Structure formats: C-alpha cells, structure tokens
Amino acid sequence: MKRSICFILAVLVLAVLAASQSDEILKLKERIIEIQNQGELGFRNFGLCSKILGYSSYIPLEKNVVSKSGQLLIYYEPQNVFTARKQGLYEVWYTQDMALLKPSGETLQEWPDILDFHYKTKTPVMDLFAQNSLDLSGQLAAGAYKFKAVLKDKLSGKTAVQVVDFEVR
C-alpha cells in the first residue's frame, strides 16, 4: 500500500512538472510570435538547390547553373510571417508569385499566386519552408536569367521580393 501511494505521488509530481514545462514553452512561443509579427517579412536561406529534403534540409548548388534539360529548384524559409490569434487558433496565410526574367529585368513569364499557404492550428507554427520548381526541359535557351519570388503576407498586408541570378547551360 505504501509503495502504491509513493508511486501515485511520483506520477503526480511528474505530471505537474510536465504541465509547468508545457506552459513555459507555450509562453516562449507566444513571445516569438510577438517578435515575428513586428519584424519585416522576408526570405531566409533563399537559393538554388539540387535537392530539398525538408525544413532546413537541402543541398544548395555550388554555382547557380542549371541544365537546359533540368529543373530549377529554389528553397527558402519565409521570415516573420504574421501569425494571427483568433478563437483559440493560430493562423498563418501567405501567397507567393514567381517570375522568370531576362538579365535586364524584363519578364519572360510569371505565375501569380503559384503558392498559397493558409494554415490554422491549435498550436503555433514556428518553422516554415517553401520550394519552387520549374521544369526547364528545353524551354529556355542557354544564357543568363533571373528568378524572382514575391512573398505576400495575407494577414499583415506586407510584401517581400527576392531575386536570384542563374545560368542555363
């Protein structure tokens, strides 16, 4: 009987400690959201890749050179996307345009709202990543080009632009 009481007390103490830690973690996440919501929308780790495995797990190209029969693959992490808190839910919503440009900046082709990420959850989303891909398959002649991404935060109204130069061989 004494062992059972000790076991029950130990379980209760561990449960209280776990709940306390969960509360502390949620408070830290709330503080991070406050800081991100005040920050400038942008791109982190934006670059051409040969492979994307997941968040912060990608293989960047050594040089921004893509085969004309290959694929243009872009990885990035949206930075400071606004998180709204409504009725016990956390909401994140952004879209992204993509465009292919000549070296002069003239648009060759564009894809408005090619990406639409709208997420509602009961727990905060802390780490986001996105990828863009474009199958070249002989679509472009060898030469220099630019890739342009426009990130649009639907909840804050903020916009960010990132452009990267690349070559097709």
Side-chain angles (χ1 to χ4, degrees):
M1 182 74 149
K2 195 173 182 181
R3 274 190 168 168
S4 296
I5 292 173
C6 286
F7 177 74
I8 291 170
L9 285 174
V11 169
L12 288 174
V13 167
L14 289 174
V16 168
L17 287 174
S20 174
Q21 285 178 335
S22 292
D23 289 345
E24 190 64 27
I25 290 169
L26 185 57
K27 286 178 187 174
L28 287 170
K29 288 181 178 181
E30 289 287 343
R31 181 66 184 126
I32 290 169
I33 288 170
E34 289 173 20
I35 293 168
Q36 287 177 333
N37 284 353
Q38 295 170 10
E40 287 300 313
L41 181 66
F43 295 86
R44 184 176 38 235
N45 296 323
F46 187 94
L48 277 64
C49 302
S50 62
K51 190 172 191 176
I52 298 172
L53 304 167
Y55 176 78
S56 200
S57 182
Y58 56 95
I59 302 168
L61 294 179
E62 287 183 30
K63 295 180 180 179
N64 288 353
V65 177
V66 181
S67 166
K68 64 182 180 178
S69 62
Q71 181 182 54
L72 181 66
L73 186 60
I74 306 283
Y75 172 91
Y76 71 88
E77 297 160 13
Q79 185 174 351
N80 298 323
V81 173
F82 189 87
T83 300
R85 293 168 267 200
K86 299 176 192 170
Q87 301 169 341
L89 294 176
Y90 297 87
E91 180 181 19
V92 174
W93 188 8
Y94 67 88
T95 62
Q96 187 230 310
D97 301 342
M98 139 174 130
L100 190 58
L101 312 172
K102 291 181 178 180
S104 64
E106 180 185 342
T107 302
L108 290 170
Q109 189 169 357
E110 61 185 329
W111 299 266
D113 297 328
I114 189 79
L115 182 116
D116 187 346
F117 184 85
H118 191 191
Y119 197 67
K120 290 182 184 179
T121 182
K122 290 184 179 184
T123 59
V125 176
M126 305 308 297
D127 298 315
L128 300 170
F129 81 95
Q131 69 181 49
N132 297 145
S133 61
L134 184 59
D135 183 12
L136 300 180
S137 297
Q139 301 291 324
L140 295 175
Y145 297 92
K146 293 178 182 283
F147 177 86
K148 177 180 170 182
V150 180
L151 192 61
K152 300 176 287 185
D153 191 311
K154 301 303 254 183
L155 301 176
S156 71
K158 295 179 181 177
T159 301
V161 177
Q162 184 76 36
V163 178
V164 64
D165 296 321
F166 72 99
E167 185 179 338
V168 173
R169 287 190 191 161

